[in-house]
Amino acid sequence: MIRTDLASEKEQQLRTGGKSTEGIEKDEFFKGNLHVSRINVTTEKASELLEKPQGRYVTVTCENGFDSMPDKVTLYSEALCCELRRLAGKFRNPLVVGLGNEAITPDSLGVLVSRKIFATRHIRRLAPELYSDKMNEVAVIATGVTGNTGLESAEIVRALCEKITPDVVFAIDALACAEISNLGCTIQLTDTGISPGSGVKNARAELSENTLGCKVIAIGMPTVIDMQTAVYQISDAENQNEKFASMMVTPRNIDFLVKNGATIIHTALNSLFHPSISPSEIEALVG
């Protein structure tokens, strides 16, 4: 079975398989060397076919990979920031949630992003002389993994949302893809939320508007592909070997790809939250 977390790949699978795409609106264009795909799933039937919740999905892909860092980080992050602004709308009290396990490189994306977010929620209370009414009150947390904390990420985030009542949650996690060419060079955004760990068949309770009571924007980059899918990509034939079903494949330079992806994402988020502060100034503030 070919598996993917990317809505764009699912939509392509439907088209190539000759299945109906009614209820799936798609728009795609280029920004420089970036390919942007916008998909809107508008009906329950389309949601079932796509195996994705109804809502909007955006993918930003650099066909040559995010390998021109730091020369291109501004271009990439600006494109991402623009798409995030469209999905999130207006907000004042965002919560950033870094999901994943920092001890496992392909799963460390969310943690790396969370470390570089400029948090400002505390300023109003601790340094009121620095606070401005134009300032977003940004909070950030890395939830860790259940095996280390004994807690589901959804439990932690839900309790936090009840306490600080954010108007939008940005959840960042690693994903799985079906196309080898998408590994480390595609970032997906969606307003439908996320199930942590779903990319490696370890899905936990979802983070969504239904569970948290506020809008949830999920941000992810594919860092792994399962072995069966990789075999299909290479040989054009599905291999039903049970051993392959539990094996995940990741690029040799995954540490480089995850670091670059995290840089693009946290730069885009900081620009979204603090448009009056330059990326270099934010870098100096967060260290």
Side-chain angles (χ1 to χ4, degrees):
M1 178 180 179
I2 303 304
R3 203 168 47 81
T4 177
D5 290 324
L6 298 182
S8 58
E9 290 184 340
K10 283 283 191 179
E11 190 271 345
Q12 183 61 35
Q13 288 174 15
L14 290 180
R15 288 187 185 276
T16 56
K19 296 183 179 179
S20 171
T21 57
E22 184 179 352
I24 302 174
E25 301 171 354
K26 184 178 181 180
D27 178 34
E28 51 187 340
F29 55 92
F30 281 90
K31 283 187 176 180
N33 66 335
L34 296 178
H35 177 259
V36 180
S37 170
R38 296 172 178 169
I39 290 175
N40 188 14
V41 183
T42 62
T43 66
E44 289 187 12
K45 183 177 180 180
S47 173
E48 291 175 2
L49 286 172
L50 205 64
E51 299 179 331
K52 299 289 181 186
Q54 288 181 238
R56 295 178 291 172
Y57 299 83
V58 179
T59 54
V60 179
T61 303
C62 181
E63 295 181 354
N64 296 323
F66 297 128
D67 58 359
S68 300
M69 309 287 281
D71 296 345
K72 300 292 186 180
V73 66
T74 300
L75 173 66
Y76 298 159
S77 62
E78 284 180 352
L80 206 63
C81 182
C82 178
E83 297 303 322
L84 284 168
R85 190 176 292 111
R86 289 183 63 256
L87 290 177
K90 294 183 179 180
F91 58 84
R92 287 299 306 274
N93 310 303
L95 170 63
V96 178
V97 178
L99 301 167
N101 188 343
E102 64 178 319
I104 301 175
T105 302
D107 196 32
S108 63
L109 180 72
V111 180
L112 295 181
V113 171
S114 68
R115 287 177 178 168
K116 291 290 187 175
I117 297 298
F118 180 35
T120 54
R121 182 176 178 272
H122 58 298
I123 292 177
R124 187 175 195 175
R125 177 171 56 90
L126 299 179
E129 71 279 6
L130 300 177
Y131 181 77
S132 166
D133 289 337
K134 296 181 180 180
M135 181 182 293
N136 287 311
E137 298 185 26
V138 182
V140 57
I141 185 173
T143 58
V145 291
T146 303
N148 293 334
T149 66
L151 299 168
E152 293 276 359
S153 293
E155 292 176 322
I156 297 171
V157 179
R158 185 164 57 245
L160 195 53
C161 286
E162 290 174 357
K163 176 67 175 179
I164 69 174
T165 59
D167 44 18
V168 60
V169 170
F170 293 87
I172 302 96
D173 199 8
L175 306 177
C177 62
E179 298 282 344
I180 295 174
S181 60
N182 279 324
L183 284 168
C185 67
T186 295
I187 294 174
Q188 176 175 267
L189 318 172
T190 177
D191 60 4
T192 64
I194 191 170
S195 294
S198 60
V200 291
K201 300 182 180 180
N202 191 29
R204 302 293 183 178
E206 69 177 21
L207 306 178
S208 68
E209 189 167 359
N210 289 334
T211 61
L212 300 182
C214 66
K215 182 180 291 186
V216 178
I217 306 297
I219 306 170
M221 183 178 77
T223 60
V224 295
I225 183 171
D226 73 66
M227 179 65 85
Q228 282 188 333
T229 302
V231 168
Y232 180 81
Q233 283 288 304
I234 296 168
S235 65
D236 200 30
E238 288 195 55
N239 189 307
Q240 299 300 322
N241 189 319
E242 291 185 3
K243 292 182 178 180
F244 287 172
S246 61
M247 296 177 66
M248 306 303 294
V249 180
T250 194
R252 182 173 56 184
N253 61 338
I254 188 60
D255 53 342
F256 176 79
L257 296 173
V258 169
K259 180 181 178 181
N260 285 353
T263 298
I264 294 166
I265 294 169
H266 71 65
T267 303
L269 285 171
N270 281 324
S271 296
L272 180 68
F273 301 150
H274 314 293
S276 63
I277 308 177
S278 71
S280 60
E281 290 174 322
I282 289 178
E283 179 65 25
L285 289 167
V286 298

